Amino acid sequence: MEVKYYKSQAEQVVRNYLLADPVLPYSSLLIGIFLCKMAYDLTHALSSYYFKCYPSLTKVQRIEWNNRGMSSAHAIYISSVSIYLVFFNNMFSDQLEGPVTLRYSNFSTFTLGVSVGYFIADLVMMFWLFPSLGGMEFVLHHLLSLIAIAYTMLSGEGQLYTYMVLISEATTPEINLRWFLDTAGLKRSSAYLINGLLMFLAWLVARIFLFVYLFYHMYWHYDQIEKMHIFGYILVFLVPIVLFGMNLVWFGKILKGVKKTLAKKK
């Protein structure tokens, strides 16, 4: 009976406080930071046990290794939820009444809060070890993402387009795996080659084709975008355009890398 009582009390605390509408964005943000810490520590624990190369890495390399484990966990979570909400949930369906740009739910807001928590945690680590975890282009990418996600989380505006952009996080695990294999001395392995090809395909779909679809969708729903506040209106155009430009530059580098790797295999 006592177990059931405490379980009921815990559920009420979560429902009435952590997931209550007014505090949902802030509680989900804190949960996101906490989950990042868990993912970071879990990566450290598993890597120390299963990967022989891990103890021989420098301190900065171990921090980056753990950081990439954390970013992969976030990427898998946010890209999975984004794909579900954009393509398999009817919340953003054109068949429903009202502007698609003003729709949101507790679940969609909570998920964005978790993502905001991740970007804050990752930015702190970037500044702490700058430029070891990424140069100014990565800082710009994270700042733009953080501002856009935080705004749509707090306002409820433009969540559809935010989730479309967040699908691009599906490329992060492949990018991190490439770094893991390289750091572990497996750059000449078949796994490295296969992952490189998967990264190329994932990038082409999630960061090139999907952005083209996003701009197409924005064009046909421009009358609904006009109903957003001016700051949200600016963000919904500015952020995808800047990120798409960065994606094209990085895609060119990936393409050169794939060609170079395939040439060596001949």
Side-chain angles (χ1 to χ4, degrees):
M1 293 294 292
E2 290 185 3
V3 174
K4 290 184 178 180
Y5 171 77
Y6 286 117
K7 181 180 179 181
S8 175
Q9 290 294 102
E11 289 175 347
Q12 286 186 355
V13 169
V14 171
R15 183 171 58 253
N16 296 334
Y17 295 97
L18 289 179
L19 298 183
D21 283 350
V23 299
L24 180 61
Y26 311 104
S27 59
S28 59
L29 184 156
L30 294 175
I31 290 171
I33 294 175
F34 174 73
L35 291 175
C36 283
K37 172 62 175 172
M38 285 185 60
Y40 183 94
D41 290 343
L42 184 61
T43 301
H44 169 71
L46 293 176
S47 300
S48 299
Y49 186 80
Y50 287 105
F51 296 96
K52 294 180 180 180
C53 66
Y54 184 79
S56 63
L57 299 177
T58 65
K59 181 180 179 181
V60 173
Q61 284 180 320
R62 287 197 298 271
I63 292 174
E64 182 169 2
W65 183 290
N66 300 336
N67 175 271
R68 287 179 180 272
M70 177 185 81
S71 68
S72 295
H74 165 262
I76 293 170
Y77 169 71
I78 196 64
S79 60
S80 299
V81 174
S82 298
I83 291 170
Y84 166 72
L85 288 176
V86 172
F87 296 112
F88 299 101
N89 186 281
N90 67 352
M91 183 170 70
F92 299 118
S93 171
D94 286 333
Q95 297 178 356
L96 300 180
E97 294 184 4
V100 71
T101 52
L102 304 181
R103 296 179 198 165
Y104 64 93
S105 67
N106 282 346
F107 175 63
S108 65
T109 300
F110 173 84
T111 301
L112 291 175
V114 171
S115 194
V116 169
Y118 159 73
F119 279 106
I120 290 175
D122 207 31
L123 267 174
V124 169
M125 294 192 69
M126 278 187 175
F127 285 124
W128 176 38
L129 294 171
F130 187 83
S132 299
L133 298 183
M136 284 307 301
E137 69 274 16
F138 291 99
V139 173
L140 174 63
H141 171 274
H142 274 44
L143 283 174
L144 279 175
S145 300
L146 177 59
I147 293 170
I149 298 170
Y151 176 80
T152 193
M153 171 190 70
L154 294 170
S155 68
E157 294 184 348
Q159 288 198 3
L160 169 60
Y161 298 124
T162 300
Y163 275 113
M164 281 188 180
V165 172
L166 284 171
I167 292 175
S168 65
E169 284 294 303
T171 62
T172 299
E174 293 88 353
I175 294 170
N176 287 337
L177 181 56
R178 179 180 181 274
W179 184 90
F180 286 135
L181 292 170
D182 187 13
T183 304
L186 298 173
K187 194 171 183 177
R188 297 184 179 277
S189 66
S190 297
Y192 187 87
L193 174 62
I194 294 171
N195 179 71
L197 293 174
L198 289 175
M199 183 174 68
F200 169 80
L201 292 173
W203 198 282
L204 183 63
V205 173
R207 290 184 182 262
I208 304 298
F209 291 161
L210 183 64
F211 272 71
V212 173
Y213 171 73
L214 183 153
F215 295 135
Y216 170 82
H217 192 281
M218 290 170 60
Y219 174 79
W220 285 107
H221 294 79
Y222 180 73
D223 60 320
Q224 299 181 31
I225 294 175
E226 286 185 306
K227 292 179 169 46
M228 299 172 63
H229 290 92
I230 184 62
F231 188 65
Y233 177 88
I234 293 172
L235 284 178
V236 84
F237 285 101
L238 176 65
V239 174
I241 289 173
V242 173
L243 293 182
F244 184 59
M246 297 173 72
N247 289 342
L248 288 174
V249 172
W250 287 331
F251 183 68
K253 294 180 179 180
I254 292 172
L255 185 59
K256 288 181 180 178
V258 170
K259 288 180 178 179
K260 187 177 179 179
T261 302
L262 290 175
K264 289 181 179 179
K265 292 292 181 179
K266 290 182 180 179

